[in-house]
Amino acid sequence: AFGGSSARGISFLPVGGSGRFGSGQGVPSVAGHSRNISALDFSPFHDALLVTAAEDGSVKIWELGEGKASVSETASAWSASQKRIQALAFNPVADGVLATAAADGVVKVWDVNAEAELCAAPSIESQPQSLAWDYAGATLVVTAKDKTVRVYDLRASADGPVASGPGHDGIKATRVTWMGDSSRFVTTGFDKYRSREVRVYDMASSLDAPISKTKMDSSSGILMPLYDADTKLLFLGGKGDVALRFYEDDGGKLLEAGSVGSREQISGLALAPKRVLNVWDCEVARVLKLTAAGAVVPVSYKVPRKSYAKFHPELYPETRGTTPGATAPEWASGANGSVALVSLQPEGERPT
């Protein structure tokens, strides 16, 4: 899903689709907000379930249909804040649990099926800029305009963060994502000299300082971090960049592994679900790149092998499936479930 022709709508396409949409063949979309859309996310357990939020604090859940039909009716909708929703994310373990961070500094967790608030933290008195759940779906990390990184366990403590530390020194926006099934998370931002910077923090130690810092370049685009837990690869690209970079995660130390360049500038990035990978061609990851020209371009990462006639299980550890580990009420009651892992090994031989 990506920004549509109107700032109050979102366009969507199937991951495996291809072709050009011209006049008379519009891209399917959802539209229903009265103000500009500010954040969106897909459910990790329901491929067609999309959440959007807007500048007026409204949150809407959409069930995208099959084919190329646009959607105008919401599955549910409610007001999460009187202020703009800055960031949101579905819980990776519990079905129907959604975190939001609003411009008034309040972080909340919702049961989307009941349209009810489950827990919240007091305002941080600063504007949140991004948030991310940990692998277990128990804690949240939030970056904010006041250059502070905060980690919340809202079920254990509603009084404030359980840990916090200094973030990037620059004044521009930051982004954050958790680094798979580890105690580490990565943030992107700018240093005091306006150079782009990547930091890695570890909850196993103090957040008073990152365990690693990587200075990038002096470009102005905010770096979007994507972390693949199976391959332990970190993908980085900024708005306006022409290159997509990737790094190996060596226990929190980032090792540059390469980049993929193009003529088209990057406008947005997303990781494709593991279930859509072409395992016969040893494709281990796929990044979907939205370009400034309005194209969605897949960037595949393949591991070379002498033969592609058989499945290579050493490249594909069991990965998270679509069966949640808990319901929203169970999560709110303190349950910490786990998502069932699935094999990517296809049945039978490679099609000829």
Side-chain angles (χ1 to χ4, degrees):
F2 49 94
S5 56
S6 167
R8 298 179 183 181
I10 292 292
S11 299
F12 61 92
L13 291 171
V15 171
S18 63
R20 174 186 289 272
F21 286 82
S23 59
Q25 190 185 15
V27 178
S29 63
V30 299
H33 286 283
S34 59
R35 298 287 298 275
N36 292 349
I37 292 175
S38 55
L40 62 88
D41 194 22
F42 273 101
S43 166
F45 308 114
H46 309 281
D47 291 343
L49 199 67
L50 172 71
V51 60
T52 58
E55 293 178 345
D56 61 358
S58 63
V59 174
K60 297 180 182 291
I61 305 293
W62 310 86
E63 292 182 0
L64 309 183
E66 296 290 336
K68 300 175 181 178
S70 294
V71 180
S72 58
E73 296 294 329
T74 59
S76 62
W78 69 94
S79 177
S81 174
Q82 297 300 311
K83 299 293 184 179
R84 170 190 170 105
I85 301 298
Q86 295 290 111
L88 55 74
F90 272 114
N91 188 289
V93 172
D95 190 17
V97 173
L98 177 75
T100 61
D104 58 5
V106 177
V107 177
K108 297 180 180 180
V109 179
W110 303 86
D111 178 344
V112 301
N113 296 316
E115 301 178 12
E117 180 184 316
L118 296 176
C119 46
S123 173
I124 60 176
E125 303 300 330
S126 180
Q127 189 177 92
Q129 295 178 326
S130 65
L131 63 80
W133 290 98
D134 70 345
Y135 189 84
T139 59
L140 278 167
V141 57
V142 179
T143 65
K145 194 173 181 179
D146 64 356
K147 306 178 186 179
T148 301
V149 176
R150 297 172 175 86
V151 176
Y152 295 89
D153 183 348
L154 293 181
R155 293 178 301 176
S157 174
D159 296 331
V162 296
S164 63
H168 297 272
D169 295 323
I171 61 173
K172 298 188 71 174
T174 55
R175 296 291 181 266
V176 64
T177 191
W178 215 279
M179 303 181 78
D181 190 11
S182 76
S183 57
R184 300 182 301 275
F185 58 86
V186 58
T187 65
T188 61
F190 295 79
D191 64 17
K192 61 183 178 181
Y193 302 109
R194 299 184 180 180
S195 295
R196 296 196 292 190
E197 182 182 62
V198 180
R199 293 186 173 198
V200 177
Y201 294 84
D202 194 342
M203 285 292 293
S205 58
S206 171
L207 295 188
D208 290 341
I211 62 172
S212 72
K213 287 197 296 187
T214 303
K215 185 176 180 178
M216 304 294 288
D217 52 39
S218 298
S219 296
S220 59
I222 300 167
L223 286 168
M224 295 167 273
L226 304 174
Y227 188 85
D228 182 5
D230 294 343
T231 61
K232 292 182 171 57
L233 288 176
L234 174 68
F235 302 94
L236 294 171
K239 189 172 182 179
D241 289 0
V242 294
L244 177 64
R245 309 178 194 187
F246 55 104
Y247 294 78
E248 294 182 11
D249 171 20
D250 183 17
K253 182 179 181 181
L254 301 180
L255 307 177
E256 190 169 358
S259 64
V260 177
S262 70
R263 296 180 179 179
E264 295 285 351
Q265 293 183 345
I266 296 171
S267 289
L269 296 172
L271 269 176
K274 288 290 182 176
R275 291 171 285 114
V276 306
L277 298 182
N278 186 342
V279 297
W280 295 117
D281 287 345
C282 299
E283 182 185 31
V284 296
R286 186 188 305 173
V287 176
L288 301 176
K289 179 177 69 174
L290 178 65
T291 71
V296 179
V297 180
V299 181
S300 294
Y301 292 81
K302 300 178 180 179
V303 178
R305 286 292 186 265
K306 290 183 179 180
S307 172
Y308 297 94
K310 295 183 178 181
F311 177 75
H312 292 272
E314 72 279 5
L315 298 179
Y316 299 99
E318 288 192 326
T319 191
R320 281 182 158 179
T322 56
T323 302
T327 64
E330 289 170 345
W331 182 89
S333 298
N336 289 316
S338 59
V339 177
L341 301 180
V342 297
S343 172
L344 294 179
Q345 183 166 358
E347 296 181 0
E349 300 294 325
R350 175 169 186 155
T352 58

